[in-house]
Amino acid sequence: MNKKLVVGNLKMNPVSPVEFGRYLDMLEKETKHKDFAKTEIVVCPPAIYFRQFLDRKFKNVKLGAQNVFWEYQGAYTGEISAGMAKASGAGYSIVGHSERRKYFGENEEAANLKLKAILKNGLRAVLCIGESMEERKGGQTDSVLKSQLKGSLSGIGAGKIECVDIAYEPIWAVGTDKLPTTDEILEAKIIIKKALAEMYPKKRMEKIRLLYGGSVKSYSIGQVCLEPAMDGVLVGRESLEPYEFIKIVKIVDDN
Ligand code: 13P
């Protein structure tokens, strides 16, 4: 059976190495001497803090990047490559996040190029997909999720797909405290599974973990993860509080 996965996306936080040091102190306190046997924990801080994270030598918390560029090296001011992230200790990278799409104009093609670079460099990917409220109200959830999946996964063969986890993150639930119902998540899950079944053999598909992301809190884990039998969660704001974040991990791990 696959392990479950809980990912903390710290986004552009905390604001300084000193603050991040405090964060790591608390994360250490919450995870030390604990064995989360059924769950992988990944924290994705800003890349500038990777070294600081690794210096703590966590046994049960892995390091992830929030974003990487698809080129290997060169004149791409401000970017870091998947190879650099890997060589600097990351084991994962998020790709296709709705904030990348919204603020940096990334589309399926960019997500696809990035995903290819991530896999080529031996990282695992957490691919984010999700519909806007307008699309949901217009009855387009099905077609939006399908086209995001098909576009992002284009050219990713069956041999590589098991290194990809997929996070269903409805855009309208990110940073808003709005949550989809369990049934809405189940519907999205079915759409995603159907689309994947058209692309990959069943055996490979079973390796792909499906996460839920968007306003996840410990008290809503039942609704968004346990009841729809998701394989884990992608957590934004609540991952900034190690106590709350690990509370989420514990609930996922215990169920
Ligand atoms: P929030 O949990 O803050 O809504 O963010 C979700 C998210 O974007 C995780 O990638």
Side-chain angles (χ1 to χ4, degrees):
M1 220 176 78
N2 295 331
K3 274 202 175 189
K4 293 184 192 163
L5 176 63
V6 176
V7 182
N9 176 7
L10 304 192
K11 307 191 179 181
M12 204 169 73
N13 300 291
V15 293
S16 70
V18 173
E19 294 265 313
F20 190 52
R22 282 194 206 111
Y23 175 87
L24 292 172
D25 290 344
M26 289 188 277
L27 189 62
E28 251 173 11
K29 184 168 160 264
E30 296 303 326
T31 56
K32 212 165 44 178
H33 310 309
K34 284 190 189 124
D35 179 28
F36 303 103
K38 293 188 283 181
T39 311
E40 250 180 288
I41 311 170
V42 177
V43 168
C44 304
I48 201 162
Y49 299 147
F50 278 8
R51 183 73 258 156
Q52 215 181 332
F53 176 95
L54 291 170
D55 282 346
R56 301 295 181 117
K57 299 192 176 8
F58 286 101
K59 288 205 170 60
N60 45 11
V61 187
K62 295 176 183 167
L63 178 64
Q66 295 174 16
N67 173 47
V68 291
F69 191 53
W70 57 78
E71 291 291 350
Y72 176 67
Q73 68 174 154
Y76 304 102
T77 303
E79 295 294 331
I80 61 164
S81 72
M84 287 172 189
K86 171 77 179 176
S88 303
Y92 279 79
S93 180
I94 297 172
V95 59
H97 194 280
S98 57
E99 285 153 13
R100 298 294 316 170
R101 297 175 193 257
K102 180 174 166 190
Y103 298 117
F104 305 97
E106 288 187 10
N107 55 15
E108 263 58 82
E109 201 188 341
N112 179 247
L113 288 168
K114 290 183 175 199
L115 188 51
K116 285 177 175 155
I118 287 167
L119 299 176
K120 191 172 169 193
N121 285 280
L123 294 159
R124 292 188 60 92
V126 178
L127 170 65
C128 303
I129 58 168
E131 81 289 357
S132 66
M133 186 44 96
E134 209 182 353
E135 289 162 340
R136 171 162 284 275
K137 284 190 174 152
Q140 293 166 275
T141 304
D142 191 318
S143 61
V144 168
L145 295 183
K146 264 191 209 152
S147 84
Q148 286 178 348
L149 272 179
K150 298 224 158 150
S152 311
L153 293 173
S154 166
I156 310 288
K160 285 276 184 195
I161 193 64
E162 55 195 60
C163 296
V164 179
D165 300 304
I166 295 173
Y168 170 56
E169 280 212 323
I171 298 170
W172 51 272
V174 172
T176 58
D177 287 336
K178 290 193 184 117
L179 282 181
T181 62
T182 297
D183 282 349
E184 285 170 335
I185 297 174
L186 271 172
E187 279 163 26
K189 183 175 165 178
I190 292 166
I191 294 167
I192 294 168
K193 291 238 176 208
K194 264 195 189 159
L196 291 173
E198 287 170 17
M199 291 185 262
Y200 300 104
K202 192 160 179 269
K203 253 204 145 121
R204 302 285 186 175
M205 251 184 71
E206 284 164 0
K207 302 267 186 201
I208 306 172
R209 290 175 291 189
L210 291 191
L211 315 183
Y212 169 78
S215 297
V216 174
K217 310 261 190 281
S218 57
Y219 59 77
S220 55
I221 283 292
Q223 176 178 334
V224 300
C225 181
L226 307 181
E227 283 154 35
M230 300 300 272
D231 302 306
V233 281
L234 175 54
V235 186
R237 283 159 295 163
E238 290 296 270
S239 68
L240 296 173
E241 299 290 341
Y243 175 78
E244 291 300 326
F245 182 56
I246 297 304
K247 199 158 142 191
I248 290 170
V249 173
K250 279 184 201 149
I251 301 171
V252 170
D253 195 59
D254 286 345
N255 283 278

